[in-house]
Amino acid sequence: MNLHELVVTDTEKIALDDLLFSEENKLALNQTIKEHKYIEELKKYNLKVDNKILLHGHSGCGKTTTAKAIATALNKSIVIINLSTLINAKIGETSKNVKTIFDKAIREKAVLFLDEFDQIGKSRESDDKDVAEMRRLVNTIIQLIDYFPTDSLLICATNFYNSIDSALLRRFQIKLKFEMPNNRELDIYYNKLLSHFPVHLQDIPRKYTVSYAEAKDYIHTTMKRQIIAELELKEQKINETIL
C-alpha cells in the first residue's frame, strides 16, 4: 500500500448548521470560521487566527463530520489521514510520510484532518522495538504543527484524550469535547433521519444511550429491512394475481 492510498481528499459537503453538538462547541467553531474568513483583515492588526483544533470524546459523536463541515464552511478541500493506518503501514517511514501529508495540505491551503491522533501518544510511551521511531514521529509532528501556516487548518481527532503527549496537547489553541447525545438530542436526530422516509415507515422503536453513528446505522438497517419486506410483499401479490 503506497502513501496515496492512505490519504483521502474528501469532497463531501456538510453544513455546519446540520451538526448536532453542544452550543459551546458551535460557538467556538463559528468563531474560528469567522477568523479564517477575515484572515487578511486580522493580519493588518498582527492578529493570528486559531488554526489548530483538537476534537476529542466518544466514538461516533460527530468528530469527522465536524471536520468536514468546517472545510465546507471555509470552501476548502479536506485531506484525511488515519494515523494508525499510516503508522502500521509505513513503520519505517512515518516521519517522512507525515511531512509529505502536511506539505500537501499546506500547498493546497486545505483542511488537514488527522484521525486517531492518540496513536502518537500511545506509541511514544510504548516499550516495543519501534519506540524510537515513534519518538521521532512525535518530534516531527510537533515541528510541523509549530510551523503550520495560518491559511491552512489542522484538525485532529481522538477518542483517548489522556493518551496524547502533553507537548502535543499544548499546540492546540482549541480543544472541543464531544459527549454522548442525551435522549432529547437523539430524538432530534431520529426525527431528521426519519423525515427522509415514507410516513408509514417512521413509527419504529428508538434506541437511546447510543452515539449518533449507532443511531444512524440502526435507522438505516431497520429501514432497509422494512422497505425490502414491502417490496417482497408486492411481488408476492403480483405473482398471486398472475396465478
Side-chain angles (χ1 to χ4, degrees), residues 32-43:
T32 301
I33 289 167
K34 288 177 182 178
E35 288 182 14
H36 282 265
K37 284 185 176 179
Y38 298 104
I39 187 170
E40 295 304 322
E41 287 78 2
L42 293 174
K43 281 181 180 178

Side-chain angles (χ1 to χ4, degrees), residues 182-199:
N182 57 37
N183 289 3
R184 181 186 63 82
E185 290 166 336
L186 278 171
D187 276 331
I188 292 172
Y189 189 56
Y190 278 129
N191 291 340
K192 179 180 177 182
L193 291 174
L194 291 169
S195 67
H196 299 289
F197 299 99
V199 174

Side-chain angles (χ1 to χ4, degrees), residues 150-199:
T150 54
D151 56 4
S152 297
L153 190 65
L154 174 65
I155 304 175
C156 298
T158 178
N159 301 336
F160 304 99
Y161 180 88
N162 293 328
S163 296
I164 299 175
D165 189 272
S166 59
L168 283 168
L169 288 176
R170 287 197 300 270
R171 264 62 191 183
F172 294 93
Q173 303 116 332
I174 300 172
K175 304 179 185 74
L176 303 180
K177 186 173 183 179
F178 285 67
E179 305 278 7
M180 286 283 283
N182 57 37
N183 289 3
R184 181 186 63 82
E185 290 166 336
L186 278 171
D187 276 331
I188 292 172
Y189 189 56
Y190 278 129
N191 291 340
K192 179 180 177 182
L193 291 174
L194 291 169
S195 67
H196 299 289
F197 299 99
V199 174

Side-chain angles (χ1 to χ4, degrees), residues 132-148:
E133 171 65 21
M134 294 309 138
R135 285 174 179 159
R136 284 194 292 272
L137 174 60
V138 172
N139 291 334
T140 296
I141 288 187
I142 286 175
Q143 293 175 359
L144 290 169
I145 291 175
D146 285 345
Y147 291 99
F148 199 66

Side-chain angles (χ1 to χ4, degrees), residues 6-243:
L6 299 174
V7 179
V8 177
T9 300
D10 201 295
T11 57
E12 183 181 9
K13 302 296 183 183
I14 298 175
L16 198 64
D17 288 340
D18 291 338
L19 298 180
L20 297 171
F21 53 15
S22 70
E23 283 302 314
E24 182 182 356
N25 284 358
K26 187 168 288 189
L27 285 171
L29 290 178
N30 277 327
Q31 172 65 23
T32 301
I33 289 167
K34 288 177 182 178
E35 288 182 14
H36 282 265
K37 284 185 176 179
Y38 298 104
I39 187 170
E40 295 304 322
E41 287 78 2
L42 293 174
K43 281 181 180 178
K44 296 175 184 177
Y45 297 93
N46 199 29
L47 293 171
K48 295 182 179 179
V49 300
D50 292 339
N51 69 328
K52 303 173 189 81
I53 302 172
L54 179 65
L55 312 178
H56 62 98
H58 287 279
S59 176
C61 291
K63 293 186 291 295
T64 301
T65 305
T66 296
K68 293 179 181 179
I70 293 171
T72 299
L74 295 174
N75 197 27
K76 289 179 177 287
S77 60
I78 182 169
V79 177
I80 299 174
I81 182 72
N82 185 308
L83 281 177
S84 66
T85 305
L86 178 66
I87 291 170
N88 292 335
K90 299 285 183 179
I91 194 64
E93 305 175 15
T94 46
S95 296
K96 175 184 174 183
N97 289 331
V98 168
K99 185 178 185 306
T100 299
I101 293 166
F102 268 76
D103 288 344
K104 173 182 172 63
I106 292 170
R107 187 171 59 251
E108 297 175 1
K109 296 183 178 180
V111 172
L112 175 57
F113 180 58
L114 303 182
D115 200 7
E116 295 200 28
F117 196 63
D118 51 277
Q119 290 294 318
I120 298 169
K122 285 181 179 179
S123 298
R124 194 186 195 194
E125 297 173 2
S126 68
D127 296 323
D128 63 31
K129 64 181 180 179
D130 296 308
V131 67
E133 171 65 21
M134 294 309 138
R135 285 174 179 159
R136 284 194 292 272
L137 174 60
V138 172
N139 291 334
T140 296
I141 288 187
I142 286 175
Q143 293 175 359
L144 290 169
I145 291 175
D146 285 345
Y147 291 99
F148 199 66
T150 54
D151 56 4
S152 297
L153 190 65
L154 174 65
I155 304 175
C156 298
T158 178
N159 301 336
F160 304 99
Y161 180 88
N162 293 328
S163 296
I164 299 175
D165 189 272
S166 59
L168 283 168
L169 288 176
R170 287 197 300 270
R171 264 62 191 183
F172 294 93
Q173 303 116 332
I174 300 172
K175 304 179 185 74
L176 303 180
K177 186 173 183 179
F178 285 67
E179 305 278 7
M180 286 283 283
N182 57 37
N183 289 3
R184 181 186 63 82
E185 290 166 336
L186 278 171
D187 276 331
I188 292 172
Y189 189 56
Y190 278 129
N191 291 340
K192 179 180 177 182
L193 291 174
L194 291 169
S195 67
H196 299 289
F197 299 99
V199 174
H200 71 281
L201 296 179
Q202 294 181 17
D203 187 18
I204 61 175
R206 299 184 176 191
K207 289 186 177 181
Y208 296 97
T209 320
V210 296
S211 68
Y212 288 121
E214 290 170 317
K216 183 178 181 180
D217 288 343
Y218 166 65
I219 292 296
H220 284 184
T221 298
T222 303
M223 282 300 169
K224 284 186 288 185
R225 186 183 299 116
Q226 290 189 149
I227 290 169
I228 290 171
E230 278 197 345
L231 292 172
E232 288 179 336
L233 182 61
K234 287 181 180 179
E235 289 178 355
Q236 181 182 345
K237 289 181 177 179
I238 291 173
N239 290 334
E240 289 175 351
T241 302
I242 294 174
L243 293 175

